[in-house]
């Protein structure tokens, strides 16, 4: 079993953890309806992508 030869210092431990944070996802605005959506994805509100309707949204009555 692998055993560390010496104690890992606080500095080395914290440097290793420097990239372990969460990042906020980027959002862009839909050109059709103005809702927030992920870039390069179909708008979940209106179903448009690059000015074309890709997904037909069901009309709620």
């Amino acid at each position: 079993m692998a055993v560390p030869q010496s104690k890992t210092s606080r500095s080395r431990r914290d440097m290793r953890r420097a990239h372990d944070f969460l990042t906020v996802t980027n959002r862009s605005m839909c050109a059709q309806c103005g809702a927030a959506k992920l870039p390069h994805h179909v708008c979940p509100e209106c179903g448009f992508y690059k000015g074309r309707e890709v997904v037909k949204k069901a009309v709620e009555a």
Side-chain angles (χ1 to χ4, degrees), residues 8-51:
T8 305
S9 68
R10 287 181 294 242
S11 177
R12 281 198 178 276
R13 177 198 66 199
D14 293 343
M15 283 191 289
R16 182 181 68 244
R17 292 178 182 172
H19 305 286
D20 291 347
F21 54 88
L22 296 174
T23 57
V24 179
T25 56
N26 294 324
R27 297 290 177 144
S28 61
M29 303 307 286
C30 176
Q32 296 295 115
C33 66
K37 68 175 196 70
L38 291 172
H40 309 287
H41 283 71
V42 176
C43 177
E45 299 297 320
C46 64
F48 274 73
Y49 180 70
K50 289 191 175 181

